[in-house]
Amino acid sequence: MCRWFAYISATEPCLLEDVLVAPKNSLSRQVHDHYLPQLIAHNPEDLHDADHQMTARNSLYNIDGLGVAWYTSSNSDFERGNTGESSDGMLKDGLRPAVYKTVQPPINDMNFRSICGNTETRACFAHIRAASSTPIVAVNNHPFIYGRHAFMHNGVVSDFTKVKRGMCDQMSDAAYSGINGGTDSEHIAALYMTFLTENGEASSFDKEYAVEKMAEAMSKAVGTVVTLQKKLVGSKAQPNSLNLCATDGSKLIAYRFRNHGTEQPPSLYYSTKAGTTLNRKYPDHPDGIDVPSRSASKAADDHGAHLIVASEPSTYKQEDWHLIGKNQCVLAGPDHFEVRDVPYEKAWDAEDPNA
């Protein structure tokens, strides 16, 4: 399965290099190495039989591409100038996502490393891909962008080829037209945008929506997929793994979902403290080592409120990371943070052929 990392803060920017490259277990290094406290043993050689299915949903090799979106006000700041007006009458106010995608593994991608070393942001999405039957091309890499909104996924929409047409039938024309690749992930992103904008035109992608509306749209997208599977595939429908995340640069919704009675989704954690350890301006080091050249210039208490949601912890402080429960979601905004159960129907449980 894929790996992803999300950071958001109303006031505290992070340097992409600090959060995506430098730590020993940064996203860039999760191509081959994984750290999953509270779920499975760190060393794959130490895994027990009971861990097999969880291991399958957190595969060791994520080598099929990279994508990163970082939010910036450059467009609106530049065009406003002294007049407060845009040159073409289409001023894009506030934060908007800039995107870089490649099929190269991240740790040796010099373009990616240069971007990370020279880019700060208050919101970023980053994703490394483990392809599941769709081509390894940049257009299939996450995150997927719709106006000011970014979306990414770890897992699989099961029986996708059997429900793909049904999913498309539920989409708005604008959301369907925004699909550029062939992945299950981009199709569920289009469903999310359809429900978030209430079948709006492409211009609706530039609007902001309340975090509760984002949560409602995500729940409706997930429910639509499961309902279609039950209708079109019946009892043979396989369970989905849907670790989903969406943001508009100031608010975030993240899902950890699997519709099976006992099986766990892929790993997903959140932290409201790890950003301080990751940020070179503050004391401590993400690997728990003393680096003489690292001179903290600010006190830890000065770090702004923030949220990280990630497939794996990227700092050594395990106590700073909380495993999101099965079929739970995280909602976050400038003045809002909540972890809660997602809407779920017992009838959604996939039947176990071995039961």
Side-chain angles (χ1 to χ4, degrees):
M1 293 296 174
C2 309
R3 305 279 90 176
W4 55 254
F5 176 98
Y7 176 95
I8 191 166
S9 173
T11 60
E12 188 74 49
C14 66
L15 187 69
L16 291 184
E17 184 177 58
D18 284 353
V19 297
L20 300 180
V21 178
K24 183 178 180 180
N25 199 52
S26 67
L27 184 77
S28 300
R29 303 173 194 277
Q30 291 168 22
V31 173
H32 297 103
D33 299 308
H34 296 304
Y35 174 49
L36 304 173
Q38 305 175 56
L39 281 178
I40 62 176
H42 187 193
N43 187 341
E45 295 179 357
D46 294 336
L47 295 178
H48 303 292
D49 291 341
D51 295 320
H52 172 71
Q53 291 299 324
M54 178 52 62
T55 306
R57 283 182 288 283
N58 295 279
S59 62
L60 290 177
Y61 303 110
N62 304 285
I63 58 175
D64 299 323
L66 157 77
V68 57
W70 63 97
Y71 278 77
T72 170
S73 62
S74 294
N75 183 283
S76 56
D77 292 344
F78 184 83
E79 289 213 25
R80 256 185 235 280
N82 296 322
T83 66
E85 301 294 335
S86 66
S87 58
D88 60 2
M90 299 294 290
L91 181 66
K92 295 181 178 179
D93 63 308
L95 298 172
R96 297 301 171 110
V99 184
Y100 175 72
K101 296 185 180 184
T102 178
V103 295
Q104 299 296 322
I107 200 65
N108 295 318
D109 185 328
M110 295 301 102
N111 293 324
F112 169 69
R113 293 175 71 92
S114 178
I115 290 170
C116 289
N118 296 280
T119 303
E120 68 170 44
T121 184
R122 296 196 305 274
C124 76
F125 271 19
H127 187 283
I128 52 174
R129 184 174 179 236
S132 55
S133 75
T134 49
I136 300 172
V137 292
V139 73
N140 279 335
N141 291 358
H142 316 220
F144 304 106
I145 306 300
Y146 289 81
R148 70 166 69 237
H149 301 271
F151 185 101
M152 58 186 175
H153 170 215
N154 173 23
V156 63
V157 174
S158 65
D159 305 298
F160 175 58
T161 57
K162 298 178 181 178
V163 300
K164 179 179 178 181
R165 178 175 292 184
M167 291 173 67
C168 291
D169 288 343
Q170 299 292 319
M171 297 173 193
S172 66
D173 290 342
Y176 178 78
S177 297
I179 297 175
N180 296 305
T183 64
D184 55 345
S185 304
E186 191 171 13
H187 282 71
I188 198 168
L191 277 180
Y192 167 77
M193 290 304 302
T194 296
F195 300 136
L196 181 67
T197 64
E198 297 182 347
N199 292 286
E201 300 293 332
S203 60
S204 65
F205 301 159
D206 286 326
K207 298 178 180 179
E208 290 192 56
Y209 300 89
V211 70
E212 285 289 348
K213 180 68 174 177
M214 295 167 67
E216 178 185 336
M218 192 76 82
S219 297
K220 192 169 181 179
V222 170
T224 297
V225 168
V226 178
T227 299
L228 282 169
Q229 290 165 339
K230 292 294 184 181
K231 176 182 177 181
L232 300 175
V233 187
S235 62
K236 295 183 179 180
Q238 298 297 304
N240 302 279
S241 289
L242 302 177
N243 283 10
L244 309 169
C245 197
T247 187
D248 62 4
S250 63
K251 299 177 290 295
L252 179 147
I253 172 75
Y255 245 62
R256 183 172 183 244
F257 177 92
R258 188 166 176 83
N259 58 313
H260 189 278
T262 58
E263 294 177 354
Q264 288 285 318
S267 60
L268 194 62
Y269 301 81
Y270 79 87
S271 177
T272 57
K273 297 181 179 180
T276 307
T277 302
L278 289 166
N279 192 321
R280 70 183 67 186
K281 293 182 179 181
Y282 297 87
D284 209 354
H285 186 279
D287 301 334
I289 59 177
D290 182 24
V291 180
S293 61
R294 177 167 171 162
S295 178
S297 60
K298 295 185 177 183
D301 291 344
D302 293 334
H303 195 282
H306 64 283
L307 172 68
I308 296 172
V309 185
S311 298
E312 302 182 23
S314 50
T315 71
Y316 75 99
K317 289 185 175 180
Q318 183 174 327
E319 65 271 18
D320 286 352
W321 296 87
H322 306 278
L323 180 68
I324 299 171
K326 176 184 177 182
N327 296 337
Q328 287 192 325
C329 66
V330 173
L331 288 74
D335 301 306
H336 184 96
F337 174 76
E338 181 183 0
V339 180
R340 69 188 188 200
D341 294 339
V342 306
Y344 193 88
E345 300 176 16
K346 182 63 177 175
W348 287 359
D349 281 357
E351 296 184 20
D352 191 340
N354 299 316

